[in-house]
């Protein structure tokens, strides 16, 4: 049997195979995004409210200047003119108001503002006062003060101030700083009526146990001490929670945490707290001064001899759930409780409403 003979034909090269192979069809990429029309109103709202707005990082004089003003239509200019002060227009004359004492001597009277002012002095766009106001707007946008969420917080705060459900602790702090001296002795008025100072003195007779008996203070409330020792440059903020109120004496048993930490352990803050463990301490108190002393002693940063006299009623705020308590900790270190005002504020409110 004859052996098969080897072929003498040259094998095809790889490059020829690739070149001669039929072209492969590639599927064109499908557009993942479609060009949508830009909502100019939404774009403008984002520019003026979002902390990530381009307005917060740009040089504002590159946007608001004489050239951009001249690009506006007459209708747009007339609308914006109503937002500018009278000093922004050509021909403005500074005059003394009719109610100014000098107006009687000089005979100068305030001129009426023209109903339609035609020409804006474009130097206003480079005026330091105008630029300062524009930079302040940039800061407010960047800080989130123009956002919808911040507007809701402000509205809630203002409503709480009006209806008396929310206090402004900083007002008490300012009052204490400016009026920290001893209260002057007041005498009865000639007509026999009681002055506001006398009523304040009567409110000061109300004790902490009286507030607990009346339900102004409740089990589960957190009492927060916040006191600034300016001479030592130390700010101490420390929490204590009311664990129980004695049914007869109405003394308060509170839980404290040693050390410089502000908040208590989370298991003690829930609607169904666990028994205290570890280093958590108990204290029975009958006055804000006792609680303040216990908290400062536990903090340990300011010795007793270096603590100036203060009003513990005004340096402590009460935090409580508004409505139903949350099932889980929502952050903030106080399990969703809200500030209900200082002990000083709550005592005054109780005195006037009883």
């Amino acid at each position: 049997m004859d052996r098969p003979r080897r072929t003498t034909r040259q094998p095809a090269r790889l490059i020829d195979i690739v070149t001669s192979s039929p072209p492969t069809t590639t599927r064109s990429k499908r557009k993942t995004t479609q060009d949508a029309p830009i909502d100019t109103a939404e774009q403008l709202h984002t520019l003026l409210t979002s902390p990530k707005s381009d307005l917060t990082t740009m040089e504002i004089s590159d946007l608001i200047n004489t050239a951009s003003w001249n690009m506006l239509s007459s209708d747009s200019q007339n609308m914006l003119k109503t937002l500018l002060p009278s000093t922004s227009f050509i021909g403005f004359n500074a005059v003394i108001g009719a109610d100014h004492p000098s107006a009687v001597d000089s005979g100068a009277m305030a001129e009426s503002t023209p109903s339609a002012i035609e020409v804006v002095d474009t130097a206003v766009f480079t005026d330091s006062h105008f630029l300062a106001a524009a930079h302040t707007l940039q800061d407010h946008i960047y800080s989130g003060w123009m956002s919808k969420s911040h507007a809701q917080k402000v509205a809630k705060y203002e409503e709480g101030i009006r209806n008396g459900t929310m206090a402004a602790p900083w007002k008490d702090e300012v009052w204490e700083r400016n009026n920290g001296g001893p209260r002057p002795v007041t005498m009865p008025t000639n007509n026999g009526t009681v002055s506001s100072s006398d009523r304040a003195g009567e409110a000061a007779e109300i004790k902490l146990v009286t507030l607990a008996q009346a339900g102004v203070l409740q089990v589960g409330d957190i009492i927060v001490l916040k006191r600034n020792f300016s001479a030592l440059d130390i700010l101490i903020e420390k929490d204590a929670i009311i664990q129980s109120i004695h049914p007869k004496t109405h003394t308060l048993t509170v839980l404290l945490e040693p050390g410089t930490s502000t908040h208590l352990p989370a298991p003690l803050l829930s609607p169904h707290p666990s028994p205290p463990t570890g280093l958590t301490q108990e204290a029975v108190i009958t006055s804000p001064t006792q609680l303040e002393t216990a908290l400062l002693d536990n903090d340990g940063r300011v010795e007793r001899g270096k603590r100036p006299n203060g009003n513990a009623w005004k340096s402590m705020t009460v935090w409580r759930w508004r409505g139903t308590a949350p099932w889980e900790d929502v952050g903030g270190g106080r399990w969703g409780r809200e500030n209900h005002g200082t002990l000083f504020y709550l005592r005054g409110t109780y005195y006037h409403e009883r």
Side-chain angles (χ1 to χ4, degrees):
M1 184 174 59
D2 295 335
R3 295 173 57 190
R5 290 185 300 177
R6 182 184 302 170
T7 177
T8 59
R9 187 176 58 185
Q10 294 183 351
R13 292 181 300 173
L14 179 60
I15 189 171
D16 296 332
I17 297 175
V18 174
T19 305
S20 60
S21 61
T24 57
T25 58
T26 58
R27 183 179 299 176
S28 60
K29 293 184 178 179
R30 185 174 53 185
K31 277 190 174 182
T32 56
T33 59
Q34 296 181 353
D35 294 336
I38 298 176
D39 187 346
T40 55
E42 181 64 25
Q43 186 181 37
L44 179 61
H45 180 269
T46 302
L47 283 173
L48 295 176
T49 60
S50 174
K52 298 181 180 179
S53 170
D54 292 339
L55 290 179
T56 62
T57 57
M58 69 180 304
E59 175 55 50
I60 197 66
S61 58
D62 293 340
L63 176 65
I64 305 176
N65 50 48
T66 303
S68 60
W69 173 261
N70 293 331
M71 293 172 61
L72 300 175
S73 64
S74 299
D75 293 339
S76 297
Q77 288 184 354
N78 291 332
M79 181 182 66
L80 294 175
K81 285 177 184 179
T82 60
L83 305 177
L84 294 173
S86 56
T87 54
S88 305
F89 300 97
I90 295 177
F92 169 77
N93 293 320
V95 294
I96 300 176
D99 56 344
H100 195 279
S102 300
V104 178
D105 300 332
S106 62
M109 298 295 292
E111 299 177 357
S112 59
T113 303
S115 57
I117 303 177
E118 296 182 356
V119 183
V120 172
D121 185 356
T122 53
V124 68
F125 300 126
T126 57
D127 182 80
S128 59
H129 302 86
F130 181 87
L131 293 176
H135 293 154
T136 300
L137 174 63
Q138 288 179 295
D139 294 340
H140 287 181
I141 296 175
Y142 178 79
S143 301
W145 293 356
M146 310 296 289
S147 64
K148 183 178 179 181
S149 59
H150 183 77
Q152 293 174 346
K153 291 180 180 179
V154 172
K156 179 181 178 181
Y157 182 83
E158 291 177 345
E159 181 182 359
I161 293 295
R162 284 193 297 267
N163 59 29
T165 60
M166 187 177 296
W170 66 269
K171 292 185 178 181
D172 289 338
E173 295 173 2
V174 172
W175 190 95
E176 178 67 18
R177 185 170 62 250
N178 297 335
N179 304 274
R183 188 163 47 110
V185 178
T186 57
M187 300 298 292
T189 57
N190 295 332
N191 57 8
T193 59
V194 180
S195 65
S196 59
S197 299
D198 294 331
R199 289 195 297 269
E202 294 176 3
E205 299 299 324
I206 298 176
K207 307 300 182 184
L208 189 70
V209 293
T210 305
L211 299 182
Q213 182 180 7
V216 178
L217 298 177
Q218 302 174 9
V219 174
D221 288 352
I222 294 180
I223 303 178
V224 180
L225 168 68
K226 186 175 183 180
R227 188 169 176 186
N228 183 26
F229 296 91
S230 55
L232 303 176
D233 194 21
I234 296 176
L235 175 64
I236 294 180
E237 184 174 0
K238 203 162 182 62
D239 296 357
I241 190 170
I242 301 178
Q243 185 189 36
S244 63
I245 299 176
H246 196 279
K248 293 184 178 180
T249 62
H250 306 290
T251 56
L252 279 64
T253 300
V254 298
L255 300 179
L256 318 171
E257 195 71 12
T260 58
S261 60
T262 298
H263 304 301
L264 294 161
L268 301 178
L269 306 178
S270 68
H272 305 285
S274 304
T277 58
L279 301 177
T280 304
Q281 301 177 7
E282 292 185 2
V284 178
I285 63 168
T286 58
S287 69
T289 303
Q290 283 184 328
L291 179 57
E292 181 184 50
T293 301
L295 288 170
L296 293 178
D297 287 347
N298 274 268
D299 182 86
R301 283 179 286 176
V302 180
E303 301 175 0
R304 290 196 177 190
K306 297 182 179 179
R307 302 172 191 172
N309 295 330
N311 190 338
W313 287 89
K314 294 181 178 180
S315 59
M316 293 187 180
T317 53
V318 176
W319 291 66
R320 179 183 302 162
W321 288 304
R322 190 179 303 277
T324 305
W327 287 102
E328 59 183 7
D329 192 0
V330 295
R334 297 182 179 120
W335 204 287
R337 293 170 174 84
E338 299 181 15
N339 190 347
H340 276 243
T342 62
L343 289 175
F344 179 84
Y345 168 81
L346 295 176
R347 182 180 65 177
T349 302
Y350 168 73
Y351 171 78
H352 291 289
E353 293 182 353
R354 63 177 178 173

